[in-house]
Amino acid sequence: MTADARPRSVLDLPAWKEAGRRLVVLTCYDAAFARLLDRAEVDLLLVGDSLNQVIAGQETTLSATLDQMIYHAAAVRRGAPGTLMFVDLPFLTYQVSIPEAIRNAGKVLQETEANGVKLEGGRHMAETVRALVERGIPVMGHLGLTPQSVHALGGYRVQGREAAAADRLLDDARELEAAGACAVVLELIPAGLARRISAALTIPTIGIGAGPGCDGQVLVLHDMLGLNEGFSPKFLKRYAELGSAVREAVRAYADDVRGGSYPAKEHSFE
Ligand code: KIV
């Protein structure tokens, strides 16, 4: 492990797990927030395809494009040049064929200076993960509720509750690790199962809606800051209420402009 307070490359991740150091991960989509998260010493920034919902206002992640991911990831990299950054490969950029996955993941690394990519799926993606890793592209897996499969899963619901499904997820996690994945996100699964998977792997698990037994935690930045006011699932803890802060600030500005108190003399040039 480096002497640094934060991991600097994917090679630091297994040592962090072994040392019991929990990874602090947040999604990030732009340079302004990237600068703030960097100063707050977040360990890893995830440019998630959730940006299609959070930033672009779409219902699901399915229509996110590679160009969209690259545009946002390049901005995040400019805001946080030294922080570990992973970028989601969007739907249909890695499932069709291994050559396409290599080309698209490589383009992400070339054009954004990301440290790696994240992709969804278990054993059926293991061969793709292996092909990317063998070509020098670090890969983070994503199991449990995989939003790109929302239609097949029948909605955003907890996965792996039944014993057979839980065993399957554990096997999927093992396959991803064997294929060379450097970490795996576990989304919306029972806490006991997340603990079991975390104990079985040497790579870190990063939970979201997966309880306290993971090796790290990720949240969607806008959700934990209270900027997505209508969204309050059980797993989410809000650390700020920026939605109401923004509304109040904008109302105060509107009152000042309408009432003629802004701009005042001190805001004006001679
Ligand atoms: O797209 C995303 O933001 C994600 C996280 C929620 C893990 O995949």
Side-chain angles (χ1 to χ4, degrees):
M1 194 187 310
T2 64
D4 209 309
R6 291 191 280 169
R8 288 296 164 191
S9 87
V10 291
L11 299 183
D12 292 335
L13 298 181
W16 269 56
K17 174 165 176 136
E18 210 178 313
R21 298 177 71 173
R22 302 187 82 213
L23 285 165
V24 177
V25 183
L26 281 169
T27 67
C28 192
Y29 315 121
D30 62 47
F33 270 123
R35 270 192 292 275
L36 291 170
L37 300 191
D38 192 27
R39 285 182 202 149
E41 303 200 329
V42 169
D43 292 322
L44 190 152
L45 301 177
L46 174 65
V47 185
D49 58 358
S50 54
L51 65 80
N52 202 44
Q53 296 162 294
V54 177
I55 303 296
Q58 301 283 3
E59 278 294 310
T60 71
T61 61
L62 292 172
S63 58
T65 66
L66 197 67
D67 285 346
Q68 209 180 335
M69 299 306 300
I70 288 173
Y71 172 84
H72 286 278
V76 170
R77 180 47 91 214
R78 287 191 287 272
T83 305
L84 269 189
M85 178 180 87
F86 274 68
V87 180
D88 265 343
L89 289 179
F91 184 56
L92 283 193
T93 63
Y94 60 95
Q95 295 96 335
V96 176
S97 71
I98 288 179
E100 268 191 48
I102 295 168
R103 192 169 304 285
N104 289 328
K107 189 169 152 77
V108 168
L109 260 59
Q110 270 185 332
E111 297 184 17
T112 74
E113 292 176 36
N115 298 89
V117 295
K118 176 165 81 58
L119 55 79
E120 299 181 6
R123 68 200 68 193
H124 60 286
M125 292 314 307
E127 215 187 317
T128 305
V129 171
R130 187 169 288 108
L132 292 174
V133 172
E134 279 172 355
R135 284 158 183 82
I137 301 172
V139 180
M140 182 183 291
H142 186 154
L143 294 171
L145 186 280
T146 43
Q148 292 175 15
S149 304
V150 62
H151 297 304
L153 298 175
Y156 297 97
R157 50 178 69 172
V158 177
Q159 303 294 307
R161 279 207 160 114
E162 301 77 25
D167 289 348
R168 203 176 154 77
L169 278 174
L170 175 59
D171 287 346
D172 280 338
R174 286 198 171 110
E175 295 232 17
L176 290 178
E177 175 171 84
C182 63
V184 59
V185 168
L186 299 177
E187 179 165 357
L188 272 194
I189 65 171
L193 173 59
R195 203 178 284 284
R196 211 173 129 209
I197 294 174
S198 304
L201 302 185
T202 59
I203 57 171
T205 57
I206 301 168
I208 173 164
C214 294
D215 305 302
Q217 177 67 43
V218 59
L219 282 176
V220 170
L221 180 66
H222 291 59
D223 297 346
M224 61 87 83
L225 292 180
L227 283 166
N228 189 3
E229 289 178 303
F231 186 66
S232 47
K234 183 177 181 193
F235 69 80
L236 176 64
K237 179 170 172 183
R238 282 201 190 153
Y239 287 83
E241 292 298 342
L242 294 196
S244 49
V246 169
R247 270 187 283 108
E248 275 167 34
V250 172
R251 281 210 184 103
Y253 166 71
D255 286 349
D256 283 359
V257 170
R258 288 183 186 123
S261 62
Y262 179 83
K265 199 161 179 240
E266 66 267 29
H267 308 116
S268 310
F269 301 100
E270 294 301 327

